[in-house]
Amino acid sequence: WRERTRPRKALKQKKLEIPDMIAEEAMRVYDPSRIRRKVSCRVSSAEAALHGQLGLLPKKLHEESLLGSDEALTFGLPHHYIDKQRWLKGMTAWPKGFVGHATNLLRPSKHKNKDGNQRRTILYTLAGSALVFDKWENGYAYFVNCRKMKVDVPTMFN
């Protein structure tokens, strides 16, 4: 982590602008061993989508983003990391309108980088664990429920 902050500090000290690009060496690579263990749901969002648990649109979007590309990254939802007994009444494993994680819904080009996996490097650096919902109202309802359970929520798109 320290190595990635040095260039930023050096540029700031010299009062130079930070470029709108990310050096490959500075990318935040997805590392499943650093992800917290899911407590209440063992299925990743990509697995749920590909098995049709999220509906037809998420299934199709995941299939298309993975076609001829890197494998999907394993993400859970924020509420999957707490005990199910703490879930609000009526909360389900997959909230209404959840489409998937942005990193898994984007298709990297077929040109691989030196790591060999652009989803794990480039797309994860850009989108992280951002959630995608079909409508703003559904994403906001999920956000409110998570905050009531004192669970942090990453960036959301609709």
Short mmCIF file of all heavy atoms in Angstrom, two decimals, residues 4 6 17 24 32 50 52 64 73 86 92 94-95 98-99 107 111 140 144:
data_model
loop_
_atom_site.label_atom_id
_atom_site.label_comp_id
_atom_site.label_asym_id
_atom_site.label_seq_id
_atom_site.Cartn_x
_atom_site.Cartn_y
_atom_site.Cartn_z
N ARG A 4 2.20 2.53 -3.30
CA ARG A 4 1.26 3.20 -4.19
C ARG A 4 1.02 4.64 -3.78
O ARG A 4 0.60 5.45 -4.58
CB ARG A 4 -0.07 2.45 -4.22
CG ARG A 4 0.04 1.15 -4.98
CD ARG A 4 -1.29 0.52 -5.08
NE ARG A 4 -1.53 -0.19 -3.84
CZ ARG A 4 -2.59 -0.88 -3.57
NH1 ARG A 4 -3.56 -0.93 -4.42
NH2 ARG A 4 -2.74 -1.51 -2.43
N ARG A 6 3.35 6.71 -2.45
CA ARG A 6 4.55 7.55 -2.64
C ARG A 6 4.48 8.44 -3.88
O ARG A 6 4.78 9.62 -3.78
CB ARG A 6 5.80 6.66 -2.69
CG ARG A 6 6.19 6.16 -1.34
CD ARG A 6 7.50 5.42 -1.40
NE ARG A 6 7.74 4.78 -0.13
CZ ARG A 6 8.38 3.67 0.03
NH1 ARG A 6 8.88 3.04 -1.01
NH2 ARG A 6 8.55 3.15 1.22
N GLU A 17 -0.06 18.14 -10.88
CA GLU A 17 -1.36 17.47 -10.93
C GLU A 17 -1.16 15.96 -10.96
O GLU A 17 -0.19 15.46 -11.50
CB GLU A 17 -2.14 17.88 -12.17
CG GLU A 17 -2.75 19.25 -12.05
CD GLU A 17 -3.69 19.53 -13.19
OE1 GLU A 17 -4.42 18.62 -13.62
OE2 GLU A 17 -3.68 20.67 -13.65
N GLU A 24 -0.01 0.40 -13.89
CA GLU A 24 -0.33 -1.00 -13.58
C GLU A 24 0.22 -1.42 -12.23
O GLU A 24 -0.41 -2.18 -11.50
CB GLU A 24 0.22 -1.90 -14.69
CG GLU A 24 -0.34 -3.29 -14.66
CD GLU A 24 0.00 -4.09 -15.89
OE1 GLU A 24 0.42 -3.51 -16.91
OE2 GLU A 24 -0.15 -5.31 -15.83
N PRO A 32 -8.90 -12.63 -3.08
CA PRO A 32 -9.99 -13.25 -2.32
C PRO A 32 -9.60 -13.61 -0.89
O PRO A 32 -10.45 -13.67 -0.01
CB PRO A 32 -10.35 -14.50 -3.12
CG PRO A 32 -9.25 -14.71 -4.07
CD PRO A 32 -8.54 -13.39 -4.24
N LEU A 50 -25.85 -16.22 -12.28
CA LEU A 50 -25.72 -17.24 -13.32
C LEU A 50 -26.68 -18.41 -13.12
O LEU A 50 -27.03 -19.09 -14.07
CB LEU A 50 -24.27 -17.72 -13.41
CG LEU A 50 -23.29 -16.67 -13.93
CD1 LEU A 50 -21.85 -17.12 -13.73
CD2 LEU A 50 -23.56 -16.36 -15.40
N GLY A 52 -29.69 -17.90 -12.05
CA GLY A 52 -31.02 -17.33 -12.23
C GLY A 52 -31.70 -16.88 -10.95
O GLY A 52 -32.88 -16.51 -10.97
N GLU A 64 -23.13 -12.41 -20.62
CA GLU A 64 -22.50 -11.61 -21.68
C GLU A 64 -21.17 -11.01 -21.24
O GLU A 64 -20.23 -10.94 -22.02
CB GLU A 64 -23.46 -10.52 -22.15
CG GLU A 64 -24.62 -11.07 -22.95
CD GLU A 64 -25.60 -10.01 -23.40
OE1 GLU A 64 -25.29 -8.80 -23.29
OE2 GLU A 64 -26.70 -10.38 -23.85
N LEU A 73 -15.45 -12.44 -10.33
CA LEU A 73 -14.88 -12.36 -8.98
C LEU A 73 -15.96 -12.72 -7.97
O LEU A 73 -17.14 -12.47 -8.20
CB LEU A 73 -14.35 -10.94 -8.72
CG LEU A 73 -13.33 -10.41 -9.72
CD1 LEU A 73 -12.85 -9.03 -9.30
CD2 LEU A 73 -12.16 -11.36 -9.87
N ARG A 86 -29.30 -10.93 12.78
CA ARG A 86 -29.27 -9.46 12.85
C ARG A 86 -29.98 -8.81 11.66
O ARG A 86 -30.14 -7.60 11.62
CB ARG A 86 -27.82 -8.96 12.92
CG ARG A 86 -27.18 -9.21 14.25
CD ARG A 86 -25.80 -8.58 14.36
NE ARG A 86 -25.73 -7.23 13.83
CZ ARG A 86 -24.62 -6.69 13.32
NH1 ARG A 86 -23.50 -7.37 13.28
NH2 ARG A 86 -24.63 -5.46 12.86
N THR A 92 -33.95 -10.43 2.60
CA THR A 92 -33.63 -11.68 1.90
C THR A 92 -32.16 -11.66 1.50
O THR A 92 -31.49 -10.62 1.57
CB THR A 92 -34.49 -11.84 0.64
OG1 THR A 92 -34.23 -10.75 -0.24
CG2 THR A 92 -35.98 -11.87 0.98
N TRP A 94 -30.90 -11.82 -1.44
CA TRP A 94 -30.70 -10.97 -2.61
C TRP A 94 -31.79 -9.91 -2.64
O TRP A 94 -32.95 -10.21 -2.89
CB TRP A 94 -30.70 -11.82 -3.88
CG TRP A 94 -29.71 -12.93 -3.76
CD1 TRP A 94 -29.99 -14.25 -3.56
CD2 TRP A 94 -28.29 -12.83 -3.73
NE1 TRP A 94 -28.83 -14.97 -3.43
CE2 TRP A 94 -27.76 -14.12 -3.53
CE3 TRP A 94 -27.40 -11.76 -3.85
CZ2 TRP A 94 -26.40 -14.38 -3.45
CZ3 TRP A 94 -26.05 -12.02 -3.77
CH2 TRP A 94 -25.56 -13.31 -3.58
N PRO A 95 -31.44 -8.64 -2.37
CA PRO A 95 -32.45 -7.59 -2.29
C PRO A 95 -33.13 -7.33 -3.64
O PRO A 95 -32.56 -7.61 -4.70
CB PRO A 95 -31.67 -6.37 -1.83
CG PRO A 95 -30.25 -6.66 -2.14
CD PRO A 95 -30.09 -8.14 -2.13
N PHE A 98 -31.49 -6.02 -7.21
CA PHE A 98 -30.02 -6.17 -7.27
C PHE A 98 -29.65 -6.88 -8.57
O PHE A 98 -30.18 -7.94 -8.89
CB PHE A 98 -29.52 -6.96 -6.06
CG PHE A 98 -28.04 -7.22 -6.09
CD1 PHE A 98 -27.13 -6.18 -6.00
CD2 PHE A 98 -27.56 -8.51 -6.23
CE1 PHE A 98 -25.76 -6.41 -6.02
CE2 PHE A 98 -26.20 -8.76 -6.25
CZ PHE A 98 -25.30 -7.72 -6.15
N VAL A 99 -28.74 -6.27 -9.33
CA VAL A 99 -28.33 -6.82 -10.63
C VAL A 99 -26.99 -7.54 -10.50
O VAL A 99 -26.77 -8.58 -11.12
CB VAL A 99 -28.25 -5.71 -11.70
CG1 VAL A 99 -27.75 -6.25 -13.01
CG2 VAL A 99 -29.61 -5.04 -11.86
N ARG A 107 -17.17 -6.13 -19.24
CA ARG A 107 -16.36 -7.13 -19.93
C ARG A 107 -15.03 -6.50 -20.33
O ARG A 107 -14.99 -5.56 -21.12
CB ARG A 107 -17.05 -7.64 -21.17
CG ARG A 107 -16.22 -8.72 -21.85
CD ARG A 107 -16.78 -9.29 -23.11
NE ARG A 107 -18.12 -8.85 -23.42
CZ ARG A 107 -18.83 -9.32 -24.42
NH1 ARG A 107 -18.34 -10.25 -25.18
NH2 ARG A 107 -20.02 -8.87 -24.66
N HIS A 111 -7.48 -8.54 -24.65
CA HIS A 111 -6.04 -8.40 -24.50
C HIS A 111 -5.70 -8.47 -23.02
O HIS A 111 -6.09 -7.61 -22.26
CB HIS A 111 -5.56 -7.06 -25.08
CG HIS A 111 -5.95 -6.90 -26.52
ND1 HIS A 111 -5.38 -7.63 -27.52
CD2 HIS A 111 -6.87 -6.11 -27.10
CE1 HIS A 111 -5.93 -7.29 -28.67
NE2 HIS A 111 -6.84 -6.37 -28.44
N TYR A 140 -31.58 2.43 -2.93
CA TYR A 140 -31.70 3.26 -1.73
C TYR A 140 -32.36 2.49 -0.59
O TYR A 140 -31.95 2.60 0.57
CB TYR A 140 -32.48 4.55 -2.03
CG TYR A 140 -32.53 5.49 -0.85
CD1 TYR A 140 -31.38 6.14 -0.42
CD2 TYR A 140 -33.71 5.69 -0.15
CE1 TYR A 140 -31.40 6.98 0.68
CE2 TYR A 140 -33.74 6.53 0.95
CZ TYR A 140 -32.58 7.17 1.36
OH TYR A 140 -32.60 8.00 2.45
N VAL A 144 -30.68 1.93 3.07
CA VAL A 144 -31.34 2.28 4.33
C VAL A 144 -31.38 1.07 5.26
O VAL A 144 -31.07 1.18 6.45
CB VAL A 144 -32.76 2.84 4.06
CG1 VAL A 144 -33.56 2.94 5.34
CG2 VAL A 144 -32.66 4.20 3.38
#
